[in-house]
Amino acid sequence: MIVILKNKPDPDQLEGLISWLNAQDIDVHPTVGSSQTILGLVGDTSRIDMNLIAALDIVEAVKRVAEPYKNANRKFHPDDTVIRVGDAVIGGGSLTVIAGPCAVESEDQLMTVAKAVKEAGANLLRASAFKPRSSPYSFQGLGIEGIRLLMKEKEEVGLPVVSEIYDSSQLPLFAEIDVLMVGAKNMQNYALLRALGKTEKPVILKRGFSNTYEEWLMSAEYILAGGNKNVILCERGIRTFEPSVSGTLDVTSVPVLKGLTHLPVIIDPSSAGGKYTYVPALARAGVAAGADGVMIEVHNDPTRAKCDGPQSLTPKKFAKTAESLRRIHSIIHEEEM
Amino acid sequence: MIVILKNKPDPDQLEGLISWLNAQDIDVHPTVGSSQTILGLVGDTSRIDMNLIAALDIVEAVKRVAEPYKNANRKFHPDDTVIRVGDAVIGGGSLTVIAGPCAVESEDQLMTVAKAVKEAGANLLRASAFKPRSSPYSFQGLGIEGIRLLMKEKEEVGLPVVSEIYDSSQLPLFAEIDVLMVGAKNMQNYALLRALGKTEKPVILKRGFSNTYEEWLMSAEYILAGGNKNVILCERGIRTFEPSVSGTLDVTSVPVLKGLTHLPVIIDPSSAGGKYTYVPALARAGVAAGADGVMIEVHNDPTRAKCDGPQSLTPKKFAKTAESLRRIHSIIHEEEM
Amino acid sequence: MIVILKNKPDPDQLEGLISWLNAQDIDVHPTVGSSQTILGLVGDTSRIDMNLIAALDIVEAVKRVAEPYKNANRKFHPDDTVIRVGDAVIGGGSLTVIAGPCAVESEDQLMTVAKAVKEAGANLLRASAFKPRSSPYSFQGLGIEGIRLLMKEKEEVGLPVVSEIYDSSQLPLFAEIDVLMVGAKNMQNYALLRALGKTEKPVILKRGFSNTYEEWLMSAEYILAGGNKNVILCERGIRTFEPSVSGTLDVTSVPVLKGLTHLPVIIDPSSAGGKYTYVPALARAGVAAGADGVMIEVHNDPTRAKCDGPQSLTPKKFAKTAESLRRIHSIIHEEEM
Amino acid sequence: MIVILKNKPDPDQLEGLISWLNAQDIDVHPTVGSSQTILGLVGDTSRIDMNLIAALDIVEAVKRVAEPYKNANRKFHPDDTVIRVGDAVIGGGSLTVIAGPCAVESEDQLMTVAKAVKEAGANLLRASAFKPRSSPYSFQGLGIEGIRLLMKEKEEVGLPVVSEIYDSSQLPLFAEIDVLMVGAKNMQNYALLRALGKTEKPVILKRGFSNTYEEWLMSAEYILAGGNKNVILCERGIRTFEPSVSGTLDVTSVPVLKGLTHLPVIIDPSSAGGKYTYVPALARAGVAAGADGVMIEVHNDPTRAKCDGPQSLTPKKFAKTAESLRRIHSIIHEEEM
């Protein structure tokens, strides 16, 4: 941690600050310039609240040099986290393809889509029973009935399931769901994250549409710090100034995060593009950037979907896209060998 | 609602769309141009899912013309909502000043600040017992003990209290709290909003740091649709590309929202600025722009505050600021007479 | 164009508006709803100034339905624009690789890099003689001497050259430069764009770091409207809320622009990432998303580069990346056959 | 400047870096932590190119501690810059009101507006003869004829004039214009800024709609470094994610900039709001936040204005707003006494 002092700091206040830091086992190395003095703090600064120092009259600014997350940090955990769900392997060099409808709508719809995406090589099925919608007047999901249908899919079709949870109180209903998904709007719902930290279930943590990499990793840290090591990060498009698309897929996040953390990073080209015609291009871009997987919305009849119809692929288009992703993934993989 | 068709739409699909709309009591008025055909939809389009139409092959784009919120819409409720809490009146031309520490830290701290802000003319006390922090390693509030101290303040000092709630499960603990505050990170926590809609408590709904006016009003709509009419909107700074400040106070939101909705609009200059030196200027700007009130962080010893020290005013600075706000408010108020 | 009227518009003003529009050969189709009236305007609305209508008291909002650009619009020019520069072909299904240093620094540096990138398969050389820098105290390029060295490279190594122009007065100096590049900061320098519209030189128009697709295409329109049909669009990373990277590569722009316009679209992964370690991943993502080419910064000794060292690849890393781009391009190309 | 090293840096490279810095009269103070080493650099680091250091393999990040601007920096020039134009005084505690139409349209229009705003207390007249428009098909200003009419206004009405320049080649035409305005799109047009630095004319430098405070001050530095000390900063609304307004007035910029620089800071509530109904509220907010002045668009017949009609006030509304601004300014001024 670096403390930048104001010009001509009061010597008593400065001594007070240094003693207080020393008392917390932090060594202080001053760098005195003609117009500026900087303090370099050495020790376990993760326990020091930056704001306490920033509030002092003699301080101009405080900058963190070390990352505030530990469990998620690749510096302390150099090896890739690899998560297994049934036959699926997430992280560590494989390509995971998650596909399915935005929401469970009916038994017929769910089974039709599940069979189709399984045949096209999907590793997991996604479908929400509980949908947090921005309008109180929109379809909110089938709820418990949706969970029941997901269980039936596992039995009959056999793909492990990913489904969205958005309140800590829903947790008991997800006992048989393989992977829990936290949506972008709940990335900083700490009551939910804390509850998930106490389970052992794999969690797909979507990035909030305007959250920084550090905030995202701090939300992962909430789950990891609770004891659950199975966190998968999912980039789903960020909010920018561009009005004509629903989101902007941040592919830069892929190489950046692969450097910062050992957790698997997947992308969701459906939420990002908001329009099915963009999905194949964005999915390919994500895999080409090094993502560990993709999550793609697929619907057997997109024009009648109860949510996200415009961004859903038909099973046929999905199959073609999945094939192309596997070929791009193998090119990158060969190169790294 | 306006539907922009692709060039040379398939006539059967077009007829199908029109019949489907008519079946839902929507009249369709086509405008046929040389290179583009537009459909104007008339009727209660709030029940129509834009995405269903947007997913059709013949459709280029769908634009909503009417606002998707009804209860929060000034068009249908022209009169200002006025909310009373004890002696405080929020909305309808008065200036409400809410002040207090970020968090309840101790009895001594709470009482000292409460007395000071009351003396300086504050109408309500703010202080959180539960703090959702971006790091799992930071101070998370005193919890139930904090609620107990707030009750004691009401008895001894007498200011009604505003305190933050961030999970639906916390609601029973807030029975004696006068005003519930939903923080920026939970503006789209729909389980929480739905729970608050079933109470009658005034709710301060902070704007998410990257949420649009429409999303904010849709979150208010969740509470209003549940039956709770007592919603106060609070602008607290948005996230932009500027790295040197914690947030950018969006004063434009004040005149825009006063036009769109009848709900009171207040501003939080402390979260917005992130630094106490900016707070007086930002508070004045908000009131000058027409806000119904301000919420300001005040601490008796900011350099020892357990949260938000750098952005907290001392009681003395707060008193001076509050006086200046009242004078600016009276200038604007006189003019409107 | 759609005009949304305020509730209960003054009939005289409404009649005035309709007559004024009719006088300009615009037909007006009203759609009268219970709470809102919409006018659909039919005819050549590109000559109508939206703002004149928006300023009327009876008007709530005006929305453009047709795009404001014509020359750049794929609707009116369905075939891909293909631009030839020496042996290089830009657009129409080929993959163009442009590479070279940020700036011309010396004869030795320029020739070394030019030979290396040519050998690795680059089609054009990039290098700036004039650099618009955000600090007046930074290296501003070699100027005319830089232009002279670029001429020498063409003679000796033989790659056509791309170089940056940032003021209309510089144009005469670029007579022998093959492709002119307009940097992000000058995307809306209309005096420059107008001057370029009067030449026949291919122009690479970089997207301003916070400009929308429509603004970008309107800047292309300035050049096209002047008579120069040879415009290449270049996405180079946008500005977002993320503080840890210099820019966010907007790969979504690739499929969106390929739909909106017939102009070639290339990406610049070096400016976007700001760090050489991200460049291969971002370049691959751009090509996988369907870009017509890439522009990559390459330096023989990045740690001594006078600008953009941190984001420059060594020739060796560039060669490996270029090979990988060609393989990904061929996969996508095969699929589209 | 702070250099954060990667873990276990190569000792030879580190020694090389330190020698290179010492050779440039920079002292290096290392702070060695268990997992991180930081170098504090002391001396005139403004001449050191951060990127050269950031490009080194042993370096993780480089952070500037001192501001990269000197002439614009309040630390080195504590007293407010005060600029006099005729009777008008800009900066140093006064309130400057600049008003007038977006563009000169005709003699009648210009004189009518000039007389009206003068009577309402405006100190300077604004009106553009050259308009950089985002569409090549829009009205581009009267050009030289517009300049001639502005001269006539000075003679007949007597208000000093502010007019927009957007290319260095236009400078000779502005010999008699009192204050030159650089629009948001040209904030980083360095050829223009350099040309303006060689004059002595006051320059209003509008902030680019997505530029940081530091970039803005670096653009001011271009003018100041050339020898022209008369720079006025103008905040005119920034671009955010909010689609319903043309810009978001950044009032936070006012107190922040007043701390960073000695230059006057004014605000433009017309460009910011994009709609005349928001202008009074935003103008008041800017003055309440401490701005040294405002620039407001006024038109005698907004619905017939050739540009910016929707955001122009009538002379009557302007007069009322100006009066309210003076009252708010006097409250703030008294308090500071």
Side-chain angles (χ1 to χ4, degrees):
Chain A
M1 199 178 281
I2 292 291
V3 178
I4 301 157
L5 297 179
K6 284 190 190 145
N7 217 348
K8 298 179 192 142
D10 177 84
D12 288 350
Q13 286 193 42
L14 180 53
E15 209 187 290
L17 170 60
I18 292 174
S19 317
W20 178 75
L21 287 165
N22 289 344
Q24 295 179 72
D25 275 339
I26 302 292
D27 281 352
V28 179
H29 297 233
T31 300
V32 182
S34 63
S35 67
Q36 206 134 29
T37 296
I38 301 161
L39 307 180
L41 310 193
V42 174
D44 181 3
T45 57
S46 71
R47 293 167 305 135
I48 305 288
D49 186 340
M50 281 173 72
N51 279 337
L52 282 182
I53 302 175
L56 296 173
D57 267 348
I58 55 169
V59 171
E60 184 166 311
V62 183
K63 288 176 202 269
R64 206 176 262 290
V65 168
E67 296 82 8
Y69 45 88
K70 295 195 150 180
N71 288 287
N73 200 329
R74 193 181 274 279
K75 279 184 190 157
F76 308 121
H77 307 268
D79 293 338
D80 281 1
T81 285
V82 179
I83 297 170
R84 281 161 216 281
V85 182
D87 293 340
V89 178
I90 309 166
S94 31
L95 176 72
T96 306
V97 178
I98 306 171
C102 166
V104 184
E105 297 173 26
S106 70
E107 180 166 344
D108 184 49
Q109 170 245 22
L110 190 68
M111 299 305 162
T112 307
V113 176
K115 280 174 203 156
V117 301
K118 190 183 181 192
E119 188 155 332
N123 309 100
L124 293 108
L125 177 74
R126 63 146 289 157
S128 292
F130 296 88
K131 284 298 305 171
R133 304 298 295 276
S134 34
S135 168
Y137 311 123
S138 299
F139 172 66
Q140 314 270 330
L142 295 185
I144 296 178
E145 169 64 8
I147 298 283
R148 198 189 59 79
L149 291 172
L150 287 169
M151 297 303 89
K152 199 160 181 190
E153 181 282 330
K154 284 177 68 170
E155 232 168 78
E156 295 187 3
V157 184
L159 280 180
V161 296
V162 176
S163 200
E164 182 165 6
I165 183 167
Y166 68 88
D167 194 56
S168 58
S169 67
Q170 295 164 339
L171 196 52
L173 304 172
F174 283 74
E176 303 296 319
I177 300 295
D178 301 284
V179 179
L180 307 191
M181 180 160 77
V182 176
K185 288 168 189 149
N186 285 288
M187 194 200 85
Q188 296 189 310
N189 181 336
Y190 299 121
L192 175 60
L193 299 181
R194 254 196 301 264
L196 295 174
K198 289 179 196 142
T199 74
E200 293 189 340
K201 295 231 180 248
V203 176
I204 293 179
L205 180 65
K206 284 191 159 186
R207 179 185 184 183
F209 54 66
S210 283
N211 283 108
T212 62
Y213 302 148
E214 189 172 299
E215 288 168 342
W216 193 6
L217 289 168
M218 287 308 287
S219 283
E221 191 79 7
Y222 257 95
I223 303 172
L224 297 166
N228 183 350
K229 301 298 176 206
N230 302 308
V231 177
I232 299 149
L233 301 170
C234 178
E235 158 65 30
R236 44 75 71 206
I238 56 172
R239 180 161 281 184
T240 70
F241 53 84
E242 173 60 47
S244 74
V245 288
S246 68
T248 297
L249 183 70
D250 176 12
V251 285
T252 310
S253 70
V254 178
V256 174
L257 283 166
K258 298 300 286 180
L260 296 175
T261 186
H262 49 91
L263 299 171
V265 178
I266 67 173
I267 62 133
D268 172 349
S270 309
S271 301
K275 220 170 166 176
Y276 78 88
T277 45
Y278 306 148
V279 170
L282 297 181
R284 289 193 308 245
V287 171
D292 294 298
V294 295
M295 175 154 60
I296 297 180
E297 288 184 11
V298 178
H299 199 283
N300 53 326
D301 189 357
T303 66
R304 287 205 177 75
K306 289 201 174 159
C307 68
D308 288 356
Q311 70 197 37
S312 295
L313 292 185
T314 58
K316 195 176 157 192
K317 281 178 197 136
F318 166 69
K320 205 182 152 197
T321 299
E323 174 56 23
S324 148
L325 299 181
R326 282 187 290 265
R327 294 186 63 192
I328 292 175
H329 182 256
S330 77
I331 285 179
I332 298 170
H333 204 60
E334 277 170 42
E335 277 170 14
E336 285 170 353
M337 296 270 156
Chain B
M1 198 177 282
I2 292 292
V3 179
I4 301 157
L5 297 179
K6 282 188 190 148
N7 216 349
K8 296 177 193 145
D10 177 85
D12 289 351
Q13 286 193 43
L14 180 53
E15 209 187 291
L17 171 60
I18 292 173
S19 318
W20 179 75
L21 287 166
N22 289 343
Q24 295 179 71
D25 276 337
I26 302 291
D27 281 352
V28 179
H29 297 234
T31 300
V32 182
S34 62
S35 67
Q36 206 133 29
T37 295
I38 301 162
L39 307 179
L41 312 193
V42 175
D44 181 3
T45 57
S46 71
R47 291 167 306 134
I48 304 290
D49 186 340
M50 281 173 70
N51 278 338
L52 283 181
I53 302 176
L56 296 173
D57 267 347
I58 56 170
V59 171
E60 184 166 310
V62 184
K63 287 177 203 269
R64 206 176 263 289
V65 168
E67 296 83 9
Y69 44 90
K70 295 195 150 180
N71 288 289
N73 200 328
R74 195 182 273 280
K75 279 185 190 155
F76 308 121
H77 308 267
D79 293 338
D80 281 1
T81 285
V82 177
I83 297 170
R84 280 161 216 281
V85 183
D87 293 340
V89 178
I90 308 166
S94 31
L95 176 71
T96 306
V97 177
I98 306 171
C102 166
V104 183
E105 297 173 25
S106 69
E107 180 167 344
D108 183 49
Q109 171 245 21
L110 189 68
M111 299 306 162
T112 306
V113 177
K115 280 173 205 159
V117 301
K118 190 183 181 191
E119 188 155 332
N123 309 101
L124 293 108
L125 177 74
R126 63 146 289 157
S128 292
F130 296 89
K131 284 298 304 170
R133 303 298 295 276
S134 32
S135 168
Y137 311 123
S138 299
F139 172 66
Q140 314 269 328
L142 294 185
I144 296 178
E145 168 65 7
I147 298 283
R148 199 189 59 79
L149 291 173
L150 287 169
M151 297 304 90
K152 200 161 180 190
E153 181 282 330
K154 284 177 66 171
E155 233 168 77
E156 296 187 3
V157 184
L159 280 180
V161 297
V162 176
S163 200
E164 182 165 6
I165 183 168
Y166 68 88
D167 194 56
S168 58
S169 67
Q170 295 163 339
L171 196 52
L173 303 172
F174 283 72
E176 304 295 319
I177 299 295
D178 301 283
V179 179
L180 306 190
M181 181 161 77
V182 176
K185 288 168 189 149
N186 285 289
M187 194 202 86
Q188 297 189 309
N189 181 335
Y190 299 121
L192 175 60
L193 299 182
R194 254 196 300 264
L196 294 175
K198 288 177 196 144
T199 74
E200 293 189 342
K201 294 229 180 251
V203 176
I204 293 179
L205 181 65
K206 284 190 159 186
R207 178 184 185 184
F209 54 66
S210 282
N211 283 108
T212 63
Y213 302 148
E214 187 172 301
E215 287 168 342
W216 194 6
L217 289 168
M218 287 309 287
S219 283
E221 191 79 7
Y222 257 94
I223 302 171
L224 296 167
N228 183 350
K229 302 298 177 206
N230 302 307
V231 177
I232 298 150
L233 302 169
C234 177
E235 158 65 30
R236 45 75 71 209
I238 56 171
R239 181 161 278 185
T240 70
F241 52 84
E242 172 60 47
S244 74
V245 287
S246 68
T248 297
L249 182 69
D250 177 12
V251 284
T252 311
S253 69
V254 178
V256 174
L257 283 166
K258 297 300 287 180
L260 296 174
T261 186
H262 50 90
L263 298 172
V265 179
I266 67 174
I267 62 133
D268 172 349
S270 309
S271 300
K275 222 170 167 175
Y276 79 88
T277 46
Y278 306 148
V279 170
L282 297 181
R284 288 193 308 244
V287 171
D292 295 299
V294 294
M295 176 153 59
I296 297 180
E297 288 184 10
V298 178
H299 198 283
N300 53 326
D301 189 357
T303 66
R304 287 206 176 76
K306 289 200 174 160
C307 66
D308 288 356
Q311 69 198 39
S312 296
L313 292 185
T314 57
K316 196 176 154 190
K317 282 177 195 136
F318 166 69
K320 206 183 151 198
T321 299
E323 174 57 22
S324 148
L325 299 181
R326 283 187 289 264
R327 293 186 65 191
I328 291 175
H329 183 257
S330 77
I331 285 180
I332 298 170
H333 205 60
E334 276 170 44
E335 278 171 12
E336 284 170 353
M337 295 272 156
Chain C
M1 198 177 281
I2 293 292
V3 178
I4 301 156
L5 298 178
K6 283 189 189 145
N7 217 350
K8 297 178 192 143
D10 176 85
D12 289 350
Q13 286 192 43
L14 180 53
E15 209 187 293
L17 170 60
I18 292 173
S19 317
W20 178 76
L21 287 166
N22 289 344
Q24 295 180 71
D25 276 339
I26 303 292
D27 282 352
V28 179
H29 297 234
T31 300
V32 182
S34 61
S35 67
Q36 205 134 29
T37 296
I38 300 162
L39 307 180
L41 310 193
V42 174
D44 182 3
T45 56
S46 70
R47 293 167 305 134
I48 305 289
D49 187 340
M50 280 173 72
N51 279 336
L52 283 182
I53 302 175
L56 297 173
D57 267 349
I58 55 170
V59 171
E60 183 165 311
V62 184
K63 287 176 202 269
R64 206 176 261 291
V65 168
E67 296 84 7
Y69 44 88
K70 293 195 151 180
N71 287 289
N73 200 329
R74 194 182 273 280
K75 279 186 189 155
F76 307 121
H77 308 267
D79 293 338
D80 280 1
T81 284
V82 178
I83 297 170
R84 280 162 216 281
V85 183
D87 294 340
V89 178
I90 308 166
S94 30
L95 175 72
T96 306
V97 177
I98 306 171
C102 166
V104 184
E105 295 173 27
S106 70
E107 180 166 344
D108 184 49
Q109 170 245 21
L110 190 68
M111 300 305 162
T112 307
V113 177
K115 281 173 204 158
V117 300
K118 190 183 180 192
E119 188 155 332
N123 310 99
L124 292 109
L125 177 74
R126 63 146 290 157
S128 293
F130 296 89
K131 283 298 306 171
R133 303 298 296 275
S134 35
S135 168
Y137 311 123
S138 298
F139 173 65
Q140 313 270 330
L142 295 184
I144 297 179
E145 169 64 7
I147 298 284
R148 199 188 60 78
L149 291 172
L150 286 169
M151 297 303 91
K152 200 160 179 189
E153 182 281 331
K154 283 177 66 170
E155 231 168 78
E156 297 187 3
V157 183
L159 281 180
V161 296
V162 177
S163 201
E164 182 164 6
I165 183 167
Y166 69 89
D167 194 56
S168 57
S169 66
Q170 296 164 337
L171 197 52
L173 304 171
F174 283 72
E176 304 296 319
I177 299 296
D178 301 284
V179 179
L180 307 190
M181 181 162 77
V182 176
K185 287 168 191 150
N186 285 287
M187 194 201 86
Q188 296 189 309
N189 181 336
Y190 300 121
L192 175 59
L193 299 181
R194 255 197 300 265
L196 295 174
K198 289 179 196 143
T199 74
E200 293 189 341
K201 295 230 180 250
V203 176
I204 293 179
L205 180 66
K206 283 190 160 185
R207 178 185 185 183
F209 54 66
S210 282
N211 284 108
T212 62
Y213 302 148
E214 188 172 299
E215 288 168 342
W216 194 6
L217 290 168
M218 287 308 286
S219 284
E221 191 79 6
Y222 257 93
I223 302 173
L224 297 166
N228 184 349
K229 302 297 177 208
N230 301 308
V231 177
I232 299 149
L233 301 170
C234 178
E235 158 66 29
R236 44 74 71 208
I238 56 171
R239 181 160 281 183
T240 70
F241 53 84
E242 172 60 46
S244 75
V245 288
S246 68
T248 298
L249 183 70
D250 177 13
V251 286
T252 310
S253 69
V254 178
V256 175
L257 283 166
K258 298 300 286 179
L260 296 175
T261 186
H262 49 91
L263 298 171
V265 179
I266 67 174
I267 63 133
D268 172 349
S270 308
S271 301
K275 220 170 166 177
Y276 79 87
T277 44
Y278 307 148
V279 171
L282 298 181
R284 288 193 309 245
V287 171
D292 294 299
V294 294
M295 176 155 59
I296 297 180
E297 289 185 10
V298 178
H299 198 285
N300 53 327
D301 189 357
T303 66
R304 289 206 175 74
K306 288 200 174 161
C307 66
D308 288 356
Q311 70 199 39
S312 296
L313 292 185
T314 58
K316 196 175 155 191
K317 280 177 197 139
F318 166 71
K320 205 181 152 196
T321 299
E323 174 57 23
S324 147
L325 298 181
R326 283 187 290 265
R327 294 186 65 190
I328 291 175
H329 182 256
S330 77
I331 285 179
I332 298 170
H333 204 60
E334 276 171 44
E335 276 171 14
E336 284 169 355
M337 296 273 155
Chain D
M1 198 178 279
I2 292 292
V3 179
I4 302 156
L5 298 178
K6 284 188 189 148
N7 216 349
K8 296 177 193 146
D10 176 85
D12 289 351
Q13 285 193 43
L14 180 53
E15 209 187 291
L17 170 59
I18 292 173
S19 317
W20 179 75
L21 287 165
N22 289 343
Q24 295 179 70
D25 276 337
I26 302 292
D27 281 353
V28 180
H29 296 234
T31 299
V32 183
S34 61
S35 66
Q36 206 133 30
T37 295
I38 301 163
L39 307 180
L41 311 193
V42 174
D44 181 4
T45 56
S46 71
R47 293 167 304 134
I48 305 290
D49 187 339
M50 280 173 71
N51 279 337
L52 284 181
I53 302 175
L56 297 173
D57 268 350
I58 55 170
V59 171
E60 184 166 309
V62 184
K63 288 176 203 268
R64 206 176 262 291
V65 168
E67 297 83 8
Y69 44 88
K70 294 194 151 183
N71 288 288
N73 200 329
R74 195 183 274 279
K75 278 185 190 156
F76 308 121
H77 308 266
D79 293 338
D80 281 1
T81 285
V82 178
I83 298 170
R84 281 162 215 281
V85 183
D87 293 340
V89 178
I90 308 165
S94 30
L95 176 72
T96 306
V97 177
I98 307 171
C102 166
V104 184
E105 296 173 26
S106 71
E107 181 167 343
D108 184 48
Q109 170 245 20
L110 190 67
M111 299 305 162
T112 306
V113 176
K115 281 174 206 159
V117 300
K118 191 183 179 192
E119 189 155 331
N123 309 101
L124 291 109
L125 178 74
R126 62 146 290 157
S128 292
F130 296 89
K131 283 299 305 170
R133 303 298 296 277
S134 34
S135 167
Y137 311 124
S138 298
F139 173 65
Q140 314 270 329
L142 294 185
I144 297 179
E145 169 64 7
I147 297 284
R148 200 187 59 77
L149 290 173
L150 286 169
M151 297 304 90
K152 201 161 178 188
E153 181 280 332
K154 283 177 66 172
E155 231 168 80
E156 296 187 3
V157 183
L159 281 180
V161 296
V162 176
S163 201
E164 182 164 5
I165 183 167
Y166 68 89
D167 195 55
S168 57
S169 67
Q170 295 164 339
L171 196 52
L173 303 171
F174 283 72
E176 304 296 320
I177 299 296
D178 301 283
V179 178
L180 307 189
M181 180 161 78
V182 176
K185 287 168 190 149
N186 285 288
M187 195 201 85
Q188 296 190 308
N189 181 335
Y190 299 121
L192 176 59
L193 299 181
R194 255 196 299 264
L196 294 174
K198 289 178 195 144
T199 74
E200 293 189 341
K201 294 228 180 255
V203 176
I204 293 178
L205 180 65
K206 283 190 160 187
R207 178 185 185 182
F209 55 65
S210 282
N211 284 109
T212 62
Y213 302 148
E214 188 172 300
E215 287 169 343
W216 193 6
L217 290 168
M218 287 309 286
S219 283
E221 190 79 7
Y222 257 94
I223 302 171
L224 297 167
N228 183 349
K229 302 298 176 206
N230 302 307
V231 177
I232 299 149
L233 302 169
C234 179
E235 159 65 30
R236 44 75 71 209
I238 56 172
R239 181 160 281 183
T240 70
F241 53 82
E242 173 60 47
S244 75
V245 288
S246 67
T248 298
L249 183 69
D250 176 13
V251 286
T252 311
S253 70
V254 178
V256 175
L257 283 166
K258 299 298 287 179
L260 296 174
T261 186
H262 49 92
L263 298 172
V265 179
I266 67 174
I267 63 133
D268 172 349
S270 308
S271 300
K275 221 170 168 177
Y276 79 87
T277 45
Y278 306 148
V279 171
L282 297 181
R284 288 193 308 244
V287 171
D292 294 298
V294 295
M295 177 154 59
I296 296 180
E297 288 185 10
V298 178
H299 198 285
N300 53 326
D301 189 356
T303 66
R304 288 207 176 74
K306 288 200 175 160
C307 66
D308 288 356
Q311 70 198 38
S312 296
L313 292 186
T314 58
K316 196 175 154 190
K317 279 176 195 137
F318 166 69
K320 205 181 153 198
T321 299
E323 175 56 24
S324 147
L325 299 181
R326 283 187 290 265
R327 294 185 65 189
I328 291 174
H329 182 255
S330 76
I331 285 180
I332 298 170
H333 205 60
E334 276 169 45
E335 277 171 13
E336 283 169 354
M337 294 274 155

